[in-house]
């Protein structure tokens, strides 16, 4: 997960089977995003900071920092299907603030 550009106390959300299990709040001028997990029983989740990049902007070469995290979610018994979802409360165009999700890996351990 990457928090990019001018977030202003907006949230990124992670869902498993429709239930919110994690939230990240970020303000471009306020340091690292605050990530909080409240998974249901049988679900574990964690995040580790993987990179920080000084970000430029429309008016200056440096305006805040973008942050990337490796997020891990483990579901003990997902049943027949598993739905993984993401959402945000972002309220500006992608050119100004974005949440990036990449390198998603789903693995079934029997």
């Amino acid at each position: 997960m990457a928090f990019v550009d001018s977030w202003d106390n907006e949230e990124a959300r992670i869902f498993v089977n429709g239930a919110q299990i994690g939230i990240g709040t970020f303000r471009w001028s306020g340091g690292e995003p605050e990530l909080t997990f409240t998974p249901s029983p049988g679900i574990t989740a964690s995040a580790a900071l993987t990179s920080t990049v000084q970000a430029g902007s429309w008016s200056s070469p440096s305006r805040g920092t973008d942050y990337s995290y490796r997020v891990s979610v483990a579901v003990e018994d997902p049943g027949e299907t598993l739905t993984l979802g993401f959402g945000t409360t972002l309220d500006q165009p992608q050119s100004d603030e974005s949440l990036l999700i990449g390198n998603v890996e789903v693995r079934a351990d029997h």
Side-chain angles (χ1 to χ4, degrees), residues 5-92:
D5 288 340
S6 68
W7 290 48
D8 42 7
N9 287 328
E10 291 148 322
E11 300 172 345
R13 298 174 180 171
I14 302 170
F15 301 88
V16 171
N17 292 334
Q20 183 174 298
I21 65 147
I23 191 167
T25 304
F26 181 45
R27 179 172 180 79
W28 68 268
S29 62
E32 287 182 30
E34 181 180 313
L35 296 166
T36 306
F37 294 100
T38 54
S40 304
I43 299 174
T44 57
S46 63
L49 181 65
T50 57
S51 71
T52 60
V53 176
Q54 191 69 34
S57 75
W58 58 90
S59 61
S60 72
S62 175
R63 184 173 187 237
T65 303
D66 297 340
Y67 296 89
S68 295
Y69 288 82
R70 171 165 282 126
V71 176
S72 297
V73 177
V75 181
E76 193 174 297
D77 182 11
E80 289 291 314
T81 61
L82 174 70
T83 303
L84 180 62
F86 302 91
T88 71
T89 60
L90 295 175
D91 60 1
Q92 292 175 235

